[in-house]
Amino acid sequence: MVNDAMDIETAEKNLKQLDHAEQHYFNRQVWKKKKKLCVFFVGGIFANTQPTAITIMEMLKDEVRTRSYMNAIVQNKHIFKDKVVLDVGCGTGILSMFAAKAGAKHVIGVDMSTIIFKAREIVEVNGLSDKITLIQGKMEEITLPFPQVDIIISEWMGYFLLYESMLDTVLYARDKYLVKDGLIFPDKASIYVAGIEDGDYKDEKIGFWDNVYGFNYSPLKETALSEPLVDTVEMKAVVTDPSLVLTLDLYKCTVEDLAFSCPFDLVARRDDFIHALVAWFDIDFTACHKTVRFSTGPHTKYTHWKQTVFYLKDMLTVQQGEKIECSLHNRPNEKNRRDLDIKIEYRLETEDPTRKAEGTCLYKMC
Ligand SMILES: C[S@@+](CC[C@H](N)C(=O)[O-])C[C@H]1O[C@@H](n2cnc3c(N)ncnc32)[C@H](O)[C@@H]1O
């Protein structure tokens, strides 16, 4: 414990030295995934370098997320048996412990947060200290006790898959440590987009700025439009078929693939209005005996990632079967690579000139 207290001090000092973008990411990566910052670990020794217990609980309680990892790992003992496993961004060590339970020869968990000192205690009280080594530090800066690992496990996904995601860190670990023909859990991620009817909410969130106590606040309306909203979307709001805009194969993709442009069509399922596009992602663990898969879409169970809504400037009026030609361009922000600059273009071509619409919207996730 005395050693850990000294380690915590050093870790906190190092974290303060991270450049601004990294600190920003670090302070928000887990915290963003919760509603309120209110409960702190007793003693306050972790200052602002560690997520709160309530944040951690929300992530662990996200059954779709945590159970999918558990099923993918624990139900595939034949894959994990006697393997060296690396858990990138191990947090409290939950995935590391799944891997140890699945028979891994040794698991190395890495996390730059001081949460790792709690993880060490958790691993110890669960009798797994001889199977799991936890290293505090940035994945990109530490050296592993093994030159190579057989399997990488990581929960790296952010909102809209890529916002504040640590996929680049996983790819770094893959290129540096994964043995040839090694496995990655999960190994496939896909982003989908659909059109939604969301008039009431758009009025509340965007229309609000038209009249603020009798004043025209339209300059802030543009800002509001440029900020994608992370929220749950009901399935009944979805007006079009979904379209796939990105698939990442984690064995092959590179950081360059995180900037992408994709043209896609949205076909209306019914006559309705479209106020926004909704995006979500699916995750696959294809290395499993039977692929484990989960979705964060409106059609399925709640996850803490919810969905991401991009309001359009126009309201589109569509008839069943009509097609909206769209394109989505995403790139990491130049100043903070974990923020995103997104552009969506749309064009509704109809024979009815009153319903034709075309536009370009710019969004920032920061
Ligand atoms: C979403 S949490 C996942 C925690 C845990 N694996 C779980 O499933 O509950 C991601 C973790 O990655 C850590 N992290 C992010 N970037 C990192 C990096 N470059 N090096 C080490 N850890 C990092 C964060 O501190 C955070 O604890």
Side-chain angles (χ1 to χ4, degrees):
M1 278 306 284
V2 173
N3 276 350
D4 267 4
M6 280 169 60
D7 286 352
I8 292 163
E9 238 172 66
T10 316
E12 287 184 342
K13 219 160 98 204
N14 291 343
L15 283 162
K16 282 195 188 108
Q17 283 164 5
L18 291 176
D19 71 37
H20 174 75
E22 286 303 336
Q23 279 196 43
H24 162 90
Y25 164 70
F26 171 73
N27 284 327
R28 295 180 63 179
Q29 165 67 19
V30 190
W31 291 32
K32 279 290 288 185
K33 292 179 175 177
K34 64 171 181 46
K35 292 178 198 107
K36 245 177 161 190
L37 292 171
C38 56
V39 177
F40 290 88
F41 276 102
V42 180
I45 49 168
F46 301 108
N48 62 352
T49 57
Q50 183 179 281
T52 61
I54 202 161
T55 307
I56 295 165
M57 189 170 73
E58 278 209 17
M59 285 182 46
L60 295 174
K61 268 173 111 176
D62 181 334
E63 284 254 340
V64 173
R65 178 198 92 107
T66 312
R67 244 176 225 292
S68 299
Y69 277 86
M70 187 174 90
N71 292 341
I73 298 169
V74 177
Q75 291 176 3
N76 286 280
K77 292 196 172 69
H78 62 290
I79 295 176
F80 281 82
K81 192 171 172 341
D82 297 332
K83 294 295 191 310
V84 175
V85 178
L86 170 63
D87 179 357
V88 180
C90 63
T92 58
I94 183 81
L95 308 185
S96 296
M97 292 192 289
F98 289 153
K101 287 273 175 218
K105 179 164 84 184
H106 204 82
V107 187
I108 312 139
V110 179
D111 205 294
M112 63 189 189
S113 163
T114 50
I115 186 68
I116 202 149
F117 300 107
K118 279 284 160 199
R120 275 191 199 146
E121 290 181 41
I122 294 167
V123 163
E124 194 176 337
V125 295
N126 285 283
L128 292 169
S129 298
D130 59 330
K131 285 275 167 208
I132 301 175
T133 301
L134 296 174
I135 302 174
Q136 195 274 329
K138 238 182 129 182
M139 186 69 229
E140 293 83 345
E141 289 168 3
I142 54 107
T143 307
L144 292 189
F146 291 82
Q148 287 197 306
V149 301
D150 302 304
I151 303 177
I152 289 178
I153 54 179
S154 185
E155 195 276 80
W156 52 267
M157 298 82 78
Y159 295 133
F160 183 60
L161 186 67
L162 299 174
Y163 172 55
E164 291 192 339
S165 106
M166 44 177 282
L167 180 56
D168 50 353
T169 300
V170 175
L171 300 184
Y172 170 88
R174 175 198 69 185
D175 295 341
K176 184 148 188 207
Y177 294 110
L178 191 64
V179 70
K180 189 176 173 298
D181 298 326
L183 300 176
I184 307 177
F185 280 63
D187 61 321
K188 198 175 138 201
S190 312
I191 300 180
Y192 294 86
V193 172
I196 57 169
E197 190 288 318
D198 201 17
D200 290 349
Y201 213 58
K202 186 175 179 188
D203 251 8
E204 197 184 300
K205 293 280 159 204
I206 311 291
F208 169 81
W209 302 107
D210 287 334
N211 181 349
V212 179
Y213 300 96
F215 295 107
N216 178 344
Y217 263 57
S218 53
L220 269 177
K221 190 171 178 174
E222 275 172 38
T223 311
L225 270 169
S226 74
E227 294 170 355
L229 204 74
V230 174
D231 210 343
T232 45
V233 171
E234 285 184 74
M235 191 52 205
K236 66 176 188 224
V238 177
V239 176
T240 71
D241 287 335
S243 259
L244 177 68
V245 296
L246 177 76
T247 297
L248 291 173
D249 173 346
L250 266 71
Y251 292 109
K252 295 192 190 135
C253 70
T254 64
V255 281
E256 283 72 40
D257 296 327
L258 307 185
F260 65 92
S261 288
C262 176
F264 61 99
D265 291 339
L266 293 174
V267 178
R269 286 176 171 168
R270 59 175 189 254
D271 297 356
D272 210 331
F273 302 112
I274 292 179
H275 300 94
L277 303 190
V278 60
W280 67 90
F281 61 87
D282 289 4
I283 292 296
D284 288 21
F285 301 78
T286 73
C288 299
H289 176 61
K290 189 166 173 275
T291 296
V292 171
R293 170 173 298 143
F294 72 89
S295 175
T296 63
H299 55 284
T300 185
K301 276 188 172 169
Y302 171 90
T303 73
H304 73 282
W305 288 287
K306 302 179 185 171
Q307 288 88 42
T308 305
V309 177
F310 299 86
Y311 285 106
L312 302 178
K313 272 183 222 148
D314 303 301
M315 177 189 75
L316 311 182
T317 311
V318 290
Q319 289 180 355
Q320 188 179 10
E322 277 178 349
K323 195 168 71 181
I324 309 159
E325 289 167 21
C326 305
S327 61
L328 189 148
H329 313 262
N330 174 76
R331 63 183 159 81
N333 181 269
E334 272 167 23
K335 285 205 189 106
N336 180 358
R337 69 204 159 85
R338 275 165 170 161
D339 289 350
L340 300 177
D341 294 327
I342 299 162
K343 180 164 90 176
I344 292 179
E345 294 167 308
Y346 55 90
R347 195 160 83 101
L348 173 64
E349 209 29 85
T350 78
E351 276 164 22
D352 174 356
T354 62
R355 292 193 296 111
K356 278 187 185 189
E358 191 166 355
T360 300
C361 301
L362 302 177
Y363 305 91
K364 270 193 180 310
M365 289 189 85
C366 54

